[in-house]
């Protein structure tokens, strides 16, 4: 079982809950603050698929933070957490983490505890850096990296360095990850693969297939079949994915 909803107190974030082992975790450009059976963890930005059950547990709650927002909360550059799942105690002083763990445990809904923790940290960090939001929006719009750097008034090398700290990887990789997520969303809507390739901004269907294999470790057809309810046809229909199946679209699933 997996469910999610927009956060009511952390802009751009999503709260989610899950039970069971779930499915593989695919890159989405986000980072997650996690509560797993009394433990606080962080899931860093992914560059490829992560297997189900990478962090043991039966019950999970998470706050999925929009691309580029987690470093201000954590006080750690995203590049240091790329493709990692770490205990919060490995990043912050032990006494502080024990205090925050106890505070989160007092919430009937651990997602509310995660939101309170994140809101407090983000407020203390001061005004957010506008660059990650701008870069993400321009990449989602399909703008090339050179054009984004020019629009921001910085060189491509500087944009790359700042992206490493904000997102965990350079803007070209983030663009590929965001495009993958567009392709998966279009597939859930029932579009044929040729239509998905065109609408998501790939050169052609072969380009789509290569990118899905590189970033998701599977084919789009196999991924779509895994989303279908038990007994349903393998091709994705307009109804979308099974609400009882965790959606493997980033660190939102387990850890």
């Amino acid at each position: 079982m997996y469910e999610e909803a927009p956060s009511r107190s952390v802009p751009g974030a999503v709260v989610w809950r899950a039970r069971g082992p779930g499915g593989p975790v695919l890159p989405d450009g986000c980072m997650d603050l996690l509560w797993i059976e009394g433990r606080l963890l962080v899931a860093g930005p992914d560059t490829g698929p992560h297997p189900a059950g990478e962090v043991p547990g039966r019950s999970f709650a998470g706050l999925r933070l929009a691309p580029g927002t987690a470093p201000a909360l954590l006080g750690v550059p995203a590049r240091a957490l790329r493709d990692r799942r770490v205990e919060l105690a490995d990043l912050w002083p032990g006494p502080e983490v024990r205090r925050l763990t106890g505070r989160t445990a007092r919430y009937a809904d651990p997602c509310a505890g995660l939101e309170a923790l994140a809101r407090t940290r983000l407020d203390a960090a001061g005004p957010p850096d506008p660059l990650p939001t701008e870069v993400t929006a321009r990449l989602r719009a399909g703008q090339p990296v050179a054009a984004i750097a020019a629009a921001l008034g910085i060189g491509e090398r500087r944009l790359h360095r700042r992206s490493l700290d904000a997102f965990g990887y350079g803007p070209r990789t983030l663009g590929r990850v965001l495009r993958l997520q567009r392709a998966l969303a279009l597939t859930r809507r029932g579009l044929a693969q040729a239509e998905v390739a065109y609408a998501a901004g790939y050169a052609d269907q072969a380009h789509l297939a290569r990118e899905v294999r590189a970033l998701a470790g599977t084919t789009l057809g196999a991924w779509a079949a895994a989303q279908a309810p038990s007994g349903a046809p393998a091709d994705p229909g307009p109804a979308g994915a099974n609400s009882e199946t965790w959606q493997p679209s980033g660190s939102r699933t387990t850890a």
Side-chain angles (χ1 to χ4, degrees), residues 38-172:
R39 300 157 57 205
L40 286 166
L41 298 92
V42 175
D46 296 331
T47 59
H50 284 251
E54 186 174 16
V55 176
R58 292 174 295 178
S59 179
F60 305 85
L63 179 69
R64 187 166 77 249
L65 296 154
T69 61
L73 184 156
L74 298 171
V76 176
R79 70 170 87 192
L81 298 172
R82 183 172 56 231
D83 287 317
R84 297 180 61 198
R85 279 74 176 118
V86 301
E87 301 275 353
L88 191 59
D90 292 339
L91 305 178
W92 295 355
E96 181 180 5
V97 173
R98 287 192 290 273
R99 177 179 61 83
L100 292 171
T101 300
R103 179 182 296 177
T104 305
R106 288 194 289 273
Y107 283 82
D109 179 2
C111 286
L114 294 175
E115 287 181 291
L117 188 165
R119 186 68 267 167
T120 299
R121 294 283 299 194
L122 290 171
D123 288 345
D129 179 1
L131 182 137
T133 300
E134 184 74 12
V135 170
T136 302
R138 290 179 178 274
L139 287 170
R140 283 190 169 128
Q143 294 186 19
V145 172
I148 295 173
L152 297 176
I154 60 178
E156 288 189 55
R157 289 186 179 182
R158 186 179 175 198
L159 174 60
H160 185 80
R161 289 194 299 269
R162 293 191 64 179
S163 294
L164 288 175
D165 288 341
F167 308 117
Y169 28 65
R172 288 183 174 82

Side-chain angles (χ1 to χ4, degrees), residues 162-186:
R162 293 191 64 179
S163 294
L164 288 175
D165 288 341
F167 308 117
Y169 28 65
R172 288 183 174 82
T173 298
L174 178 60
R176 293 173 62 210
V177 167
L178 296 175
R179 187 172 55 190
L180 170 71
Q181 287 298 316
R182 288 198 299 274
L184 298 182
L186 291 166

Side-chain angles (χ1 to χ4, degrees), residues 1-4 16-26 32 34-37 50-62 64 184 188 223-229 241-255:
M1 183 277 295
Y2 173 86
E3 60 181 12
E4 66 174 42
W16 58 265
R17 304 167 185 82
R19 295 190 64 85
V25 180
L26 305 188
D32 288 51
L34 305 169
W35 176 261
I36 305 177
E37 298 173 352
H50 284 251
E54 186 174 16
V55 176
R58 292 174 295 178
S59 179
F60 305 85
R64 187 166 77 249
L184 298 182
R188 281 194 290 267
W223 179 85
Q227 309 312 299
N242 181 5
S243 61
E244 293 300 312
T245 302
W246 294 21
Q247 303 307 304
S249 56
S251 50
R252 74 186 190 180
T253 46
T254 57

